[in-house]
Amino acid sequence: MNQADGRAASIPVAILGPTGYTGLELIELLARHPGMHVAYLASAREKAPRIDDEFPRLRGVLPAEVAQCRPIDHDAIAKAARLAFLALPHEAAMHHTPPLLQRGVKVIDLSAAYRLRDAKVYEQYYGHAHTDPEGLRLAVYGLPELFREQIRGATLVANPGCYPTAAALALHPLLKAGVIEPTGIIVNAASGASGAGREAKAHLTVVEAGDNFSAYGIGVHRHQPEIIQTLHLTHTQMGSPAGSGIAPLLFVPHLLPVERGILETIYATPTSPHLDTARVMNVLHAAYDGKEPFVIVRSDAPTLRDVQKTNRVHINARVVGGRVVIVAAIDNLIKGASGQAIQNANLMLGSREDAGL
Amino acid sequence: MNQADGRAASIPVAILGPTGYTGLELIELLARHPGMHVAYLASAREKAPRIDDEFPRLRGVLPAEVAQCRPIDHDAIAKAARLAFLALPHEAAMHHTPPLLQRGVKVIDLSAAYRLRDAKVYEQYYGHAHTDPEGLRLAVYGLPELFREQIRGATLVANPGCYPTAAALALHPLLKAGVIEPTGIIVNAASGASGAGREAKAHLTVVEAGDNFSAYGIGVHRHQPEIIQTLHLTHTQMGSPAGSGIAPLLFVPHLLPVERGILETIYATPTSPHLDTARVMNVLHAAYDGKEPFVIVRSDAPTLRDVQKTNRVHINARVVGGRVVIVAAIDNLIKGASGQAIQNANLMLGSREDAGL
Amino acid sequence: MNQADGRAASIPVAILGPTGYTGLELIELLARHPGMHVAYLASAREKAPRIDDEFPRLRGVLPAEVAQCRPIDHDAIAKAARLAFLALPHEAAMHHTPPLLQRGVKVIDLSAAYRLRDAKVYEQYYGHAHTDPEGLRLAVYGLPELFREQIRGATLVANPGCYPTAAALALHPLLKAGVIEPTGIIVNAASGASGAGREAKAHLTVVEAGDNFSAYGIGVHRHQPEIIQTLHLTHTQMGSPAGSGIAPLLFVPHLLPVERGILETIYATPTSPHLDTARVMNVLHAAYDGKEPFVIVRSDAPTLRDVQKTNRVHINARVVGGRVVIVAAIDNLIKGASGQAIQNANLMLGSREDAGL
Amino acid sequence: MNQADGRAASIPVAILGPTGYTGLELIELLARHPGMHVAYLASAREKAPRIDDEFPRLRGVLPAEVAQCRPIDHDAIAKAARLAFLALPHEAAMHHTPPLLQRGVKVIDLSAAYRLRDAKVYEQYYGHAHTDPEGLRLAVYGLPELFREQIRGATLVANPGCYPTAAALALHPLLKAGVIEPTGIIVNAASGASGAGREAKAHLTVVEAGDNFSAYGIGVHRHQPEIIQTLHLTHTQMGSPAGSGIAPLLFVPHLLPVERGILETIYATPTSPHLDTARVMNVLHAAYDGKEPFVIVRSDAPTLRDVQKTNRVHINARVVGGRVVIVAAIDNLIKGASGQAIQNANLMLGSREDAGL
């Protein structure tokens, strides 16, 4: 549990912005990684905290000198680490990525800064200018199941959003096999509250959100263009997120009264009236079984509990009432964020893809 | 809170099957009803319990002689009560309804026994024969907002299912106004665990269901034909539940880790590409504002918390991404069961419709 | 549910500070009160909100002209209402109480401003000066089961804290009967998160508090002197809260991952080694049965669920392992705040004590 | 995550009774253990299930031939595994332990069968005869922080109960240092619902237990004599659990509406009126800091969230109101069961004590 030993053979990495939930998750996952360890925690706060004061559950996990956060000093980070995980706000990520890359540090950015290829779409959805077009050109979208080879060679990886990870892995094989229409898809999703970040918000308290459930960002959520872009990249018939007219895909997220986990119930139109459940499941099995260690195709619908605290996505699909209904589940903090970041780091640094996961 | 006083002017009612959650809810609602009181609790158990031993929160609510459940004795019930709420299993409801009606007791049945008009559809979805065709002929579907006048004159009311209540109230005005297509509707719904009843079930424990979320009965749930029937009754273009081919409506429920509440996110296709949110909201406002005390049309999406422990349904709708997206919320135990039953009883007995609610 | 009718015979009341949880609870309880109605909502906010925008679940509950909050205008309040519920911060309560009393408006203060009789103890625990000594002299502690007659004649009632309500009702009869020692009492308590108020706080989010449990304010909580004072008032052998040396009572609260409810597990020392469970229960039964409609003495330990959304306290006691162990449960927002406030209002205005509860 | 590789150097172990929550936890912990792997899952069910059908979250974790449970065949287990974790009912544990020991398989028993040294006390609390006195003689109580050396040499380890683990680690150093009295201790504890096992029970559903909190087994819980015995073993002034008269320690557990975690708030009497918080904390720091990787002594009170999904116990203590108040937290399924079992296995098999934890 303590990282003290065997560090010789282990690759040092840095985390920028470790005081959020994805930072916490990265630290806990890396604490049991056999070939990678946290060497530098960089905080943007004026007074850098000890991370185990921020998160008391980390007491005893990191050596004292690492647990003490330090400033975001690019030279010091480059000296201490071969790869940096950025768990920063979008704007800060665009600010710190170029100097790190210049110093030879590989970057996995967990913000949305480099996810959307079209800076205009980015600016429309995120409300501020994109300040690093060069980074945008370099960045590889870090969904290993779809872009594994590009990730291996990347210096900058845009770690996908949580909702897009589940949606893309569920829809991609079915679109590729041509069994569902690339239009009129509805992604009805629900996420645990950790997806909203660690900041205090009145609507997220136990009283307000604890026994509650609600839809938000209906049809206007930032992850909608990201899902569409990913499917468009892999399936050209899918309209692009910048396109006008009827959206090829409607995304409606909901807030669950749980800490973690995403469940997506996805509705698509079959391309043939003869499509049946067996055929749809065959497509998924053929795409993933024996090839993808983190994708489980199953004959019954998954639940949040099946994937919480794991890096796996569970997928089920069926044809019913004239629709293809797909249910996909992930842990938003792991396969939807920090676990996927480590999966990407493993690829970029030549480790086993499932090391530490 | 104690019913001891003012009972002279108050109408005595009976509850058959009070040991489930709808029974508990009926007792608590009736305890503060100004014009109705529980006079007889009838249990099918071999040894009839005291209801406040079953539900300790009822201690002090009912007089001792009423708190002690008695057998289901039709003559005794007819002597003690003018109306009976049946919170029994479906088969038991079909068994006890005819003798109560014969003895002049009005019946509100909270089971599904009399909801589906077509005995064949009933038998297909509930897996047993319908044994009371005469009751089926007499029964009025107890959704006051759609069938108020029939309910006033009814002797037997089939209290609607929880999911169908929200779906029908959300969709009916839009179908009637012709702004959405009567085909291809998707009702994506989520309910608290009380909807599954009070029996011990392994998948409903705090450990299994507590931080969980899952889809179930995808496209095959018993409430799907009930929703379709209600919309078909009021809008003939909607296909009937007994019909073959593409379902006019697909219903996909989910289980929430909360005690109570239903949220439905409904997707429909506009009949015109020019339909906008303002028009859709106008249709809803015109249908309900100032007319229906228990229907709240609002410009933002409702949450479970807005309706829990109330008899109200909250509805919001918008046009986005080429779809009409409607969000409707109710308390499954109140507007979705016991509150609606009391609303029906008020109509049948000539009380104010909102008395005690 | 709507207050529109029968208001002629009904007493108008005001709520100052209705945008917190006790305000919401007061509004919902008063909406079904047969003899009292909300006539004025007074908010200290610069721009007074509509209360049903603050709490969407109140839509349809209050007439529009009442739902719109108004400024805290003492003359206008005195014109509109005979009694005011103050759900304000402590300092604001001390500021607004005198002018309301001067204008003949009875006041029930739900803050702690008038609970502790000794201004020095108040200032020690609340960290600011007590600015209304005259009010302190007038105020009656609003625990009806112990101070019913004084409350009937009072113009200013200090509504008790939530924890002290349960503790005092559990301990008072046992101290009075002399079966437990007035020293060394331990009150181990747990409360739902609504007790912490409605303000956004990072440690109260679903992620931080949702699956959590923790002790806080160990031995230094503000309710400790309030509990001691109440028992001291009724049982002179109990040390006073201002006393020095060993505390007569140690209070340790915990935060539960639920919205509402308080459970207290209380440990006391028997005055005799021969004390047994039967004797302890007899003392409780003799004190409450048939006398107190809101106190239920029971032979098994109560749970939160038994009292949530009720104005009742459930109490059980036993002798085990050489200790008297008492378990008491209330709803912190009802018997621990707004329900008790209405019980007090009923006494002060000559209504039935249980009206609307 | 998949165990396929590196198994050569890894020690094969068996789990008997893997279909409960401690079984699930063992499998997930062992899946990332660097030096131990599951080689045999033995189920007592007539038709042995695939463990990943029982727990879908285990899909992809174990090789198919291991995931398929097999009968409890002592010879086959002895052939396949060097150590067996028994996650069986108490009686079954006493039945299967002797034949496994005879075949040279080391046993860690997670039931209570071998925890209480005195068969008479065992029979009094567990309600059935103890059928393996020889095992009772051999068994070492598996709390590594107190009995590390005996565990290293043991062939049979009785894995401690969840509540006793936290209580013993909190109280032992303070008793040993003589700063608290060995009488009159109160252990007020609260546990997540997984402590009640995986069987369907009506009082454990989301509806009944979800927003609830309750005391149970007040002063008569089976873990009370186990706590007393452990403290008696290490501190002779503490009365034995078989003793008569006033209990040296009163244990009162509560049920929390969460999956996992135990928080104990412990009240003890100082041996000196001059005892202060600094002295008490010094005793704890001296006992654990730098010596025990899984015991964290901290200056503020821990919460459940600080220890969930870890093998650590967090302890805080203070002197207030004339009492020593200690707060200790663990994960009941890890340090309170399966994690501690692996810690014991590491000691028994010569691995690093914290391997895989």
Short mmCIF file of all heavy atoms in Angstrom, two decimals, chain A residues 298-346:
data_model
loop_
_atom_site.label_atom_id
_atom_site.label_comp_id
_atom_site.label_asym_id
_atom_site.label_seq_id
_atom_site.Cartn_x
_atom_site.Cartn_y
_atom_site.Cartn_z
N ARG A 298 -22.87 -8.53 -21.97
CA ARG A 298 -23.65 -9.50 -21.18
C ARG A 298 -25.10 -9.56 -21.63
O ARG A 298 -25.64 -8.60 -22.18
CB ARG A 298 -23.55 -9.17 -19.70
CG ARG A 298 -23.82 -7.73 -19.40
CD ARG A 298 -23.48 -7.39 -17.97
NE ARG A 298 -24.59 -7.77 -17.10
CZ ARG A 298 -24.64 -7.50 -15.81
NH1 ARG A 298 -23.62 -6.89 -15.21
NH2 ARG A 298 -25.68 -7.85 -15.11
N SER A 299 -25.74 -10.68 -21.31
CA SER A 299 -27.08 -10.92 -21.83
C SER A 299 -28.18 -10.28 -21.00
O SER A 299 -29.32 -10.21 -21.42
CB SER A 299 -27.32 -12.42 -21.92
OG SER A 299 -27.13 -13.01 -20.66
N ASP A 300 -27.83 -9.82 -19.80
CA ASP A 300 -28.82 -9.12 -18.98
C ASP A 300 -28.35 -7.68 -18.77
O ASP A 300 -27.17 -7.36 -18.95
CB ASP A 300 -29.03 -9.83 -17.64
CG ASP A 300 -27.72 -10.03 -16.89
OD1 ASP A 300 -26.63 -9.93 -17.51
OD2 ASP A 300 -27.76 -10.29 -15.67
N ALA A 301 -29.26 -6.82 -18.36
CA ALA A 301 -28.91 -5.40 -18.23
C ALA A 301 -28.02 -5.18 -17.01
O ALA A 301 -28.31 -5.69 -15.93
CB ALA A 301 -30.18 -4.56 -18.12
N PRO A 302 -26.94 -4.44 -17.17
CA PRO A 302 -26.04 -4.18 -16.04
C PRO A 302 -26.65 -3.16 -15.08
O PRO A 302 -27.58 -2.43 -15.41
CB PRO A 302 -24.80 -3.60 -16.71
CG PRO A 302 -25.32 -2.93 -17.93
CD PRO A 302 -26.47 -3.78 -18.40
N THR A 303 -26.07 -3.11 -13.88
CA THR A 303 -26.46 -2.12 -12.88
C THR A 303 -25.21 -1.32 -12.50
O THR A 303 -24.08 -1.74 -12.76
CB THR A 303 -27.03 -2.78 -11.61
OG1 THR A 303 -25.95 -3.32 -10.84
CG2 THR A 303 -28.00 -3.90 -11.95
N LEU A 304 -25.43 -0.19 -11.85
CA LEU A 304 -24.28 0.62 -11.39
C LEU A 304 -23.33 -0.19 -10.53
O LEU A 304 -22.12 -0.07 -10.63
CB LEU A 304 -24.77 1.79 -10.53
CG LEU A 304 -25.29 3.04 -11.19
CD1 LEU A 304 -25.25 4.17 -10.19
CD2 LEU A 304 -24.49 3.39 -12.42
N ARG A 305 -23.93 -0.96 -9.62
CA ARG A 305 -23.13 -1.73 -8.66
C ARG A 305 -22.16 -2.69 -9.34
O ARG A 305 -21.14 -3.05 -8.77
CB ARG A 305 -24.10 -2.50 -7.75
CG ARG A 305 -23.45 -3.29 -6.65
CD ARG A 305 -24.47 -3.68 -5.58
NE ARG A 305 -23.99 -4.78 -4.76
CZ ARG A 305 -23.13 -4.65 -3.77
NH1 ARG A 305 -22.65 -3.47 -3.46
NH2 ARG A 305 -22.72 -5.70 -3.08
N ASP A 306 -22.50 -3.12 -10.55
CA ASP A 306 -21.63 -4.07 -11.25
C ASP A 306 -20.32 -3.44 -11.69
O ASP A 306 -19.36 -4.16 -12.00
CB ASP A 306 -22.36 -4.63 -12.49
CG ASP A 306 -23.60 -5.42 -12.11
OD1 ASP A 306 -23.68 -5.90 -10.97
OD2 ASP A 306 -24.49 -5.57 -12.97
N VAL A 307 -20.27 -2.13 -11.77
CA VAL A 307 -19.07 -1.48 -12.32
C VAL A 307 -18.42 -0.49 -11.35
O VAL A 307 -17.30 -0.02 -11.61
CB VAL A 307 -19.40 -0.75 -13.64
CG1 VAL A 307 -19.85 -1.75 -14.71
CG2 VAL A 307 -20.46 0.33 -13.42
N GLN A 308 -19.11 -0.16 -10.26
CA GLN A 308 -18.53 0.82 -9.33
C GLN A 308 -17.17 0.33 -8.84
O GLN A 308 -17.00 -0.85 -8.54
CB GLN A 308 -19.47 1.04 -8.13
CG GLN A 308 -20.64 1.96 -8.49
CD GLN A 308 -21.81 1.84 -7.54
OE1 GLN A 308 -21.95 0.82 -6.85
NE2 GLN A 308 -22.66 2.85 -7.49
N LYS A 309 -16.23 1.24 -8.76
CA LYS A 309 -14.87 0.93 -8.31
C LYS A 309 -14.14 -0.04 -9.24
O LYS A 309 -13.22 -0.74 -8.82
CB LYS A 309 -14.89 0.37 -6.87
CG LYS A 309 -15.20 1.42 -5.80
CD LYS A 309 -13.94 2.19 -5.44
CE LYS A 309 -14.16 3.19 -4.33
NZ LYS A 309 -12.89 3.86 -4.01
N THR A 310 -14.56 -0.09 -10.51
CA THR A 310 -13.83 -0.87 -11.50
C THR A 310 -13.58 -0.01 -12.74
O THR A 310 -14.22 1.02 -12.92
CB THR A 310 -14.60 -2.13 -11.99
OG1 THR A 310 -15.52 -1.74 -13.03
CG2 THR A 310 -15.37 -2.81 -10.87
N ASN A 311 -12.69 -0.48 -13.60
CA ASN A 311 -12.43 0.22 -14.86
C ASN A 311 -13.21 -0.39 -16.02
O ASN A 311 -12.90 -0.13 -17.18
CB ASN A 311 -10.93 0.17 -15.18
CG ASN A 311 -10.52 1.18 -16.25
OD1 ASN A 311 -10.85 2.36 -16.13
ND2 ASN A 311 -9.83 0.73 -17.30
N ARG A 312 -14.23 -1.18 -15.70
CA ARG A 312 -14.94 -1.88 -16.76
C ARG A 312 -16.21 -1.15 -17.19
O ARG A 312 -16.82 -0.44 -16.42
CB ARG A 312 -15.30 -3.29 -16.27
CG ARG A 312 -14.09 -4.22 -16.21
CD ARG A 312 -14.46 -5.63 -15.85
NE ARG A 312 -14.74 -5.75 -14.44
CZ ARG A 312 -13.83 -5.95 -13.48
NH1 ARG A 312 -12.56 -6.09 -13.80
NH2 ARG A 312 -14.19 -6.03 -12.23
N VAL A 313 -16.55 -1.37 -18.46
CA VAL A 313 -17.87 -0.97 -18.94
C VAL A 313 -18.64 -2.26 -19.20
O VAL A 313 -18.09 -3.22 -19.75
CB VAL A 313 -17.77 -0.10 -20.22
CG1 VAL A 313 -16.93 -0.75 -21.29
CG2 VAL A 313 -19.16 0.21 -20.78
N HIS A 314 -19.88 -2.32 -18.74
CA HIS A 314 -20.75 -3.46 -19.00
C HIS A 314 -21.81 -3.02 -20.00
O HIS A 314 -22.40 -1.95 -19.85
CB HIS A 314 -21.44 -3.93 -17.71
CG HIS A 314 -20.59 -4.79 -16.82
ND1 HIS A 314 -21.10 -5.79 -16.04
CD2 HIS A 314 -19.26 -4.80 -16.60
CE1 HIS A 314 -20.12 -6.38 -15.35
NE2 HIS A 314 -18.99 -5.79 -15.67
N ILE A 315 -22.04 -3.84 -21.01
CA ILE A 315 -22.99 -3.48 -22.08
C ILE A 315 -23.97 -4.61 -22.36
O ILE A 315 -23.57 -5.78 -22.45
CB ILE A 315 -22.25 -3.13 -23.40
CG1 ILE A 315 -21.20 -2.03 -23.17
CG2 ILE A 315 -23.25 -2.69 -24.48
CD1 ILE A 315 -20.37 -1.71 -24.40
N ASN A 316 -25.22 -4.24 -22.49
CA ASN A 316 -26.26 -5.17 -22.90
C ASN A 316 -27.10 -4.48 -23.97
O ASN A 316 -27.26 -3.26 -23.94
CB ASN A 316 -27.15 -5.54 -21.71
CG ASN A 316 -28.47 -6.17 -22.13
OD1 ASN A 316 -29.50 -5.50 -22.21
ND2 ASN A 316 -28.42 -7.44 -22.45
N ALA A 317 -27.63 -5.26 -24.91
CA ALA A 317 -28.51 -4.66 -25.92
C ALA A 317 -29.61 -5.64 -26.27
O ALA A 317 -29.46 -6.86 -26.10
CB ALA A 317 -27.72 -4.29 -27.16
N ARG A 318 -30.74 -5.09 -26.70
CA ARG A 318 -31.85 -5.94 -27.12
C ARG A 318 -32.70 -5.17 -28.13
O ARG A 318 -32.62 -3.95 -28.22
CB ARG A 318 -32.70 -6.35 -25.92
CG ARG A 318 -33.53 -5.22 -25.33
CD ARG A 318 -34.06 -5.62 -23.97
NE ARG A 318 -32.93 -5.75 -23.05
CZ ARG A 318 -32.97 -6.47 -21.93
NH1 ARG A 318 -34.06 -7.15 -21.61
NH2 ARG A 318 -31.93 -6.51 -21.15
N VAL A 319 -33.51 -5.91 -28.87
CA VAL A 319 -34.47 -5.29 -29.77
C VAL A 319 -35.84 -5.51 -29.15
O VAL A 319 -36.22 -6.65 -28.86
CB VAL A 319 -34.42 -5.91 -31.18
CG1 VAL A 319 -35.45 -5.24 -32.09
CG2 VAL A 319 -33.02 -5.79 -31.76
N VAL A 320 -36.56 -4.42 -28.91
CA VAL A 320 -37.88 -4.55 -28.28
C VAL A 320 -38.74 -3.37 -28.72
O VAL A 320 -38.25 -2.24 -28.84
CB VAL A 320 -37.75 -4.62 -26.74
CG1 VAL A 320 -37.17 -3.36 -26.15
CG2 VAL A 320 -39.08 -4.94 -26.08
N GLY A 321 -39.99 -3.65 -29.01
CA GLY A 321 -40.93 -2.59 -29.40
C GLY A 321 -40.46 -1.80 -30.61
O GLY A 321 -40.75 -0.61 -30.74
N GLY A 322 -39.70 -2.45 -31.48
CA GLY A 322 -39.26 -1.76 -32.69
C GLY A 322 -38.02 -0.90 -32.50
O GLY A 322 -37.62 -0.17 -33.41
N ARG A 323 -37.41 -0.97 -31.34
CA ARG A 323 -36.20 -0.18 -31.06
C ARG A 323 -35.04 -1.10 -30.65
O ARG A 323 -35.27 -2.18 -30.10
CB ARG A 323 -36.43 0.75 -29.86
CG ARG A 323 -37.56 1.72 -30.02
CD ARG A 323 -37.08 2.99 -30.72
NE ARG A 323 -38.17 3.95 -30.76
CZ ARG A 323 -38.07 5.14 -31.30
NH1 ARG A 323 -36.93 5.54 -31.84
NH2 ARG A 323 -39.09 5.96 -31.31
N VAL A 324 -33.85 -0.60 -30.84
CA VAL A 324 -32.69 -1.22 -30.17
C VAL A 324 -32.48 -0.46 -28.87
O VAL A 324 -32.34 0.77 -28.89
CB VAL A 324 -31.43 -1.15 -31.05
CG1 VAL A 324 -30.25 -1.76 -30.31
CG2 VAL A 324 -31.66 -1.85 -32.38
N VAL A 325 -32.52 -1.17 -27.77
CA VAL A 325 -32.31 -0.55 -26.45
C VAL A 325 -31.00 -1.10 -25.89
O VAL A 325 -30.86 -2.31 -25.70
CB VAL A 325 -33.47 -0.84 -25.48
CG1 VAL A 325 -33.21 -0.16 -24.14
CG2 VAL A 325 -34.80 -0.40 -26.07
N ILE A 326 -30.06 -0.20 -25.65
CA ILE A 326 -28.75 -0.59 -25.14
C ILE A 326 -28.60 -0.03 -23.74
O ILE A 326 -28.95 1.14 -23.50
CB ILE A 326 -27.62 -0.02 -26.04
CG1 ILE A 326 -27.94 -0.29 -27.52
CG2 ILE A 326 -26.26 -0.58 -25.63
CD1 ILE A 326 -27.37 0.77 -28.44
N VAL A 327 -28.12 -0.85 -22.82
CA VAL A 327 -27.83 -0.35 -21.46
C VAL A 327 -26.33 -0.52 -21.22
O VAL A 327 -25.79 -1.62 -21.39
CB VAL A 327 -28.63 -1.10 -20.39
CG1 VAL A 327 -28.33 -0.52 -19.01
CG2 VAL A 327 -30.13 -1.01 -20.68
N ALA A 328 -25.68 0.59 -20.86
CA ALA A 328 -24.23 0.55 -20.62
C ALA A 328 -23.95 1.20 -19.28
O ALA A 328 -24.58 2.21 -18.92
CB ALA A 328 -23.49 1.28 -21.72
N ALA A 329 -23.00 0.63 -18.53
CA ALA A 329 -22.68 1.17 -17.21
C ALA A 329 -21.17 1.28 -17.02
O ALA A 329 -20.42 0.40 -17.46
CB ALA A 329 -23.27 0.26 -16.11
N ILE A 330 -20.75 2.37 -16.39
CA ILE A 330 -19.34 2.54 -16.01
C ILE A 330 -19.29 3.24 -14.66
O ILE A 330 -20.28 3.77 -14.17
CB ILE A 330 -18.53 3.41 -17.01
CG1 ILE A 330 -19.12 4.83 -17.11
CG2 ILE A 330 -18.43 2.76 -18.36
CD1 ILE A 330 -18.21 5.82 -17.83
N ASP A 331 -18.11 3.26 -14.07
CA ASP A 331 -17.84 4.13 -12.93
C ASP A 331 -17.32 5.45 -13.51
O ASP A 331 -16.27 5.46 -14.16
CB ASP A 331 -16.79 3.48 -12.00
CG ASP A 331 -16.54 4.30 -10.74
OD1 ASP A 331 -16.39 5.54 -10.85
OD2 ASP A 331 -16.51 3.72 -9.66
N ASN A 332 -18.04 6.52 -13.26
CA ASN A 332 -17.66 7.79 -13.88
C ASN A 332 -16.28 8.27 -13.46
O ASN A 332 -15.60 8.96 -14.21
CB ASN A 332 -18.70 8.88 -13.59
CG ASN A 332 -18.88 9.14 -12.11
OD1 ASN A 332 -19.17 8.20 -11.36
ND2 ASN A 332 -18.69 10.37 -11.68
N LEU A 333 -15.83 7.92 -12.26
CA LEU A 333 -14.52 8.37 -11.79
C LEU A 333 -13.40 7.46 -12.25
O LEU A 333 -12.23 7.84 -12.22
CB LEU A 333 -14.50 8.48 -10.26
CG LEU A 333 -15.33 9.59 -9.65
CD1 LEU A 333 -15.29 9.52 -8.13
CD2 LEU A 333 -14.85 10.97 -10.12
N ILE A 334 -13.71 6.24 -12.67
CA ILE A 334 -12.65 5.31 -13.06
C ILE A 334 -12.65 5.17 -14.58
O ILE A 334 -11.95 5.92 -15.26
CB ILE A 334 -12.76 3.97 -12.28
CG1 ILE A 334 -12.74 4.29 -10.75
CG2 ILE A 334 -11.62 3.05 -12.66
CD1 ILE A 334 -12.59 3.10 -9.85
N LYS A 335 -13.46 4.29 -15.15
CA LYS A 335 -13.45 4.20 -16.62
C LYS A 335 -13.87 5.55 -17.22
O LYS A 335 -13.44 5.90 -18.33
CB LYS A 335 -14.40 3.09 -17.10
CG LYS A 335 -14.39 2.86 -18.61
CD LYS A 335 -13.01 2.46 -19.16
CE LYS A 335 -13.05 2.20 -20.66
NZ LYS A 335 -11.70 2.04 -21.24
N GLY A 336 -14.63 6.33 -16.48
CA GLY A 336 -15.04 7.64 -17.00
C GLY A 336 -14.06 8.76 -16.72
O GLY A 336 -14.31 9.91 -17.08
N ALA A 337 -12.93 8.47 -16.06
CA ALA A 337 -11.97 9.54 -15.77
C ALA A 337 -10.60 8.95 -15.41
O ALA A 337 -9.78 8.68 -16.28
CB ALA A 337 -12.47 10.47 -14.66
N SER A 338 -10.37 8.70 -14.12
CA SER A 338 -9.00 8.41 -13.67
C SER A 338 -8.50 7.03 -14.06
O SER A 338 -7.31 6.85 -14.32
CB SER A 338 -8.93 8.61 -12.15
OG SER A 338 -9.34 9.92 -11.83
N GLY A 339 -9.38 6.05 -14.08
CA GLY A 339 -8.96 4.71 -14.52
C GLY A 339 -8.59 4.73 -15.99
O GLY A 339 -7.55 4.19 -16.39
N GLN A 340 -9.41 5.38 -16.77
CA GLN A 340 -9.11 5.49 -18.20
C GLN A 340 -7.81 6.28 -18.42
O GLN A 340 -7.03 5.96 -19.32
CB GLN A 340 -10.27 6.18 -18.92
CG GLN A 340 -10.11 6.25 -20.41
CD GLN A 340 -11.43 5.98 -21.12
OE1 GLN A 340 -11.81 4.83 -21.34
NE2 GLN A 340 -12.13 7.02 -21.47
N ALA A 341 -7.56 7.28 -17.59
CA ALA A 341 -6.31 8.03 -17.69
C ALA A 341 -5.11 7.12 -17.44
O ALA A 341 -4.08 7.22 -18.11
CB ALA A 341 -6.32 9.20 -16.70
N ILE A 342 -5.25 6.22 -16.49
CA ILE A 342 -4.14 5.30 -16.21
C ILE A 342 -4.01 4.28 -17.33
O ILE A 342 -2.90 3.92 -17.74
CB ILE A 342 -4.34 4.65 -14.83
CG1 ILE A 342 -4.03 5.72 -13.76
CG2 ILE A 342 -3.46 3.43 -14.65
CD1 ILE A 342 -4.41 5.34 -12.36
N GLN A 343 -5.15 3.84 -17.85
CA GLN A 343 -5.11 2.95 -19.02
C GLN A 343 -4.35 3.64 -20.17
O GLN A 343 -3.49 3.02 -20.82
CB GLN A 343 -6.56 2.62 -19.43
CG GLN A 343 -6.70 1.50 -20.45
CD GLN A 343 -8.18 1.23 -20.80
OE1 GLN A 343 -9.08 1.77 -20.17
NE2 GLN A 343 -8.40 0.39 -21.81
N ASN A 344 -4.63 4.91 -20.38
CA ASN A 344 -3.90 5.68 -21.40
C ASN A 344 -2.42 5.81 -21.05
O ASN A 344 -1.55 5.66 -21.92
CB ASN A 344 -4.53 7.07 -21.55
CG ASN A 344 -5.80 7.04 -22.37
OD1 ASN A 344 -5.89 6.34 -23.38
ND2 ASN A 344 -6.81 7.79 -21.94
N ALA A 345 -2.12 6.09 -19.80
CA ALA A 345 -0.73 6.22 -19.37
C ALA A 345 0.02 4.91 -19.60
O ALA A 345 1.18 4.91 -20.05
CB ALA A 345 -0.65 6.64 -17.91
N ASN A 346 -0.63 3.80 -19.29
CA ASN A 346 0.00 2.50 -19.53
C ASN A 346 0.38 2.35 -21.00
O ASN A 346 1.48 1.89 -21.32
CB ASN A 346 -0.95 1.37 -19.12
CG ASN A 346 -1.09 1.24 -17.60
OD1 ASN A 346 -0.24 1.69 -16.84
ND2 ASN A 346 -2.18 0.62 -17.16
#
